[in-house]
Amino acid sequence: MTTAPIRRTAPKRRPSRGRKWIIALLVLAALLVGADFALAAAGEYQVAQKMRTKLQLTEDPSVRINGFPFITQALSGDYKDIEISATGVPVKDQLRDLEVQANLLHTRIELSNLLAGNTKGAKIDRVQGRVKIKANDLNRLVNQVTPFTDMAIEPDTRAEKPAEATAASRTTAAVKLTGNTTLASRKVSLTAFGTVTLVNGQVVLGVNELKIDDVSLEPFIAQLKQALSITIDPGVLPFTVTPTAVQVESGAFTVEGTVDNIPLDQGNG
């Protein structure tokens, strides 16, 4: 009679002390990261509440305190870059879909005051403010003169860029517009080339050249150029920043400017 060999079960290995420490450290790191994000979110909420009132918005803007970890900025009371943005902002009776952006660079406020929403005494080294005027609003404005549809905004790539940026080059940008209109009961596609110029905080659109796809209607070109040459008031930039530059990008005109050494509670409300 053959006896079956006895199988011995290998003893279970217990985690070594070093492995336990590694697991504990990983858990602690995860908890610290989670706490850091939670603390940043609390600060962002308070800034959003303040900016909603300050910028006279109907909803809380999007707020992001850039930089990780948040706690090191909080302990020093120096937040390197607070990014604020809001879309669909109306301005007077002209604009309904304005996009407002601001970067608050080196906002100086104690953590306890930030979390309590107490911004009295808080200062910002520099504010970079921007507003975007989108194609939707351009369509609405030019339709008040002549019925245009599907207006699109693009930079004019034919224009030569200045070799060196100057104050004049920053306040004027080349633009290309495309869209449709109706002339003599016929739908016409058009392409216009011109400039957007920043004048006293307003965007002045001027058309220098215009082409249409129906040559028989070319006598209307002067009328169309005049209809597209409009002035747009983008309103006051965040923190009453003085506009110093205008740019053309795909789908929008952007007006921007900066201001230095400003109290957080100054301007716009």
Side-chain angles (χ1 to χ4, degrees), residues 10-60:
K12 294 182 179 179
R13 292 185 178 181
R14 295 182 178 179
S16 64
R17 182 172 295 179
R19 189 178 178 186
K20 288 181 178 179
W21 274 109
I22 292 173
I23 294 173
L25 288 173
L26 290 175
V27 172
L28 179 61
L31 291 174
L32 289 175
V33 170
D36 191 84
F37 278 107
L39 195 61
E44 290 167 350
Y45 171 78
Q46 291 296 340
V47 174
Q49 292 288 296
K50 184 69 178 180
M51 291 301 104
R52 177 176 179 172
T53 302
K54 188 178 187 64
L55 302 179
Q56 300 178 359
L57 304 174
T58 56
E59 298 179 356
D60 288 354

Side-chain angles (χ1 to χ4, degrees), residues 209-235:
E209 179 185 354
L210 191 144
K211 300 176 181 179
I212 58 178
D213 62 351
D214 189 336
V215 294
S216 67
L217 297 175
E218 286 185 353
F220 291 95
I221 284 181
Q223 175 185 331
L224 294 175
K225 288 170 64 175
Q226 184 177 2
L228 288 172
S229 298
I230 60 173
T231 298
I232 306 173
D233 183 0

Side-chain angles (χ1 to χ4, degrees), residues 4-230:
I6 300 174
R7 295 183 178 180
R8 298 180 178 275
T9 303
K12 294 182 179 179
R13 292 185 178 181
R14 295 182 178 179
S16 64
R17 182 172 295 179
R19 189 178 178 186
K20 288 181 178 179
W21 274 109
I22 292 173
I23 294 173
L25 288 173
L26 290 175
V27 172
L28 179 61
L31 291 174
L32 289 175
V33 170
D36 191 84
F37 278 107
L39 195 61
E44 290 167 350
Y45 171 78
Q46 291 296 340
V47 174
Q49 292 288 296
K50 184 69 178 180
M51 291 301 104
R52 177 176 179 172
T53 302
K54 188 178 187 64
L55 302 179
Q56 300 178 359
L57 304 174
T58 56
E59 298 179 356
D60 288 354
S62 172
V63 174
R64 178 181 177 85
I65 301 177
N66 294 315
F68 179 82
F70 170 81
I71 190 63
T72 58
Q73 300 182 75
L75 292 175
S76 66
D78 179 6
Y79 305 88
K80 296 179 180 179
D81 182 10
I82 301 178
E83 187 176 331
I84 302 166
S85 62
T87 57
V89 179
V91 173
K92 302 179 181 177
D93 295 328
Q94 271 202 322
L95 307 172
R96 301 178 189 173
D97 193 26
L98 206 68
E99 183 174 331
V100 178
Q101 299 175 335
N103 286 82
L104 317 185
L105 306 180
H106 293 287
T107 302
R108 303 180 188 277
I109 180 174
E110 293 183 3
L111 177 61
S112 58
N113 288 331
L114 175 65
L115 296 180
N118 178 18
T119 57
K120 185 178 181 180
K123 294 184 180 298
I124 313 167
D125 286 8
R126 169 166 287 195
V127 175
Q128 297 174 338
R130 294 172 297 282
V131 293
K132 286 188 177 183
I133 304 168
K134 300 179 183 178
N136 287 342
D137 275 328
L138 176 63
N139 268 279
R140 191 176 299 110
L141 292 174
V142 295
N143 261 309
Q144 295 176 7
V145 183
T146 299
F148 294 95
T149 58
D150 306 318
M151 295 298 299
I153 302 170
E154 295 291 342
D156 183 1
T157 56
R158 309 176 313 164
E160 293 185 6
K161 294 183 179 180
E164 183 178 348
T166 62
S169 68
R170 287 177 55 80
T171 55
T172 300
V175 63
K176 174 185 176 182
L177 303 175
T178 57
N180 300 297
T181 189
T182 301
L183 294 172
S185 301
R186 282 180 277 180
K187 185 175 181 180
V188 178
S189 296
L190 63 91
T191 302
F193 299 93
T195 58
V196 286
T197 305
L198 186 63
V199 180
N200 296 325
Q202 297 187 327
V203 177
V204 178
L205 174 60
V207 175
N208 305 320
E209 179 185 354
L210 191 144
K211 300 176 181 179
I212 58 178
D213 62 351
D214 189 336
V215 294
S216 67
L217 297 175
E218 286 185 353
F220 291 95
I221 284 181
Q223 175 185 331
L224 294 175
K225 288 170 64 175
Q226 184 177 2
L228 288 172
S229 298
I230 60 173

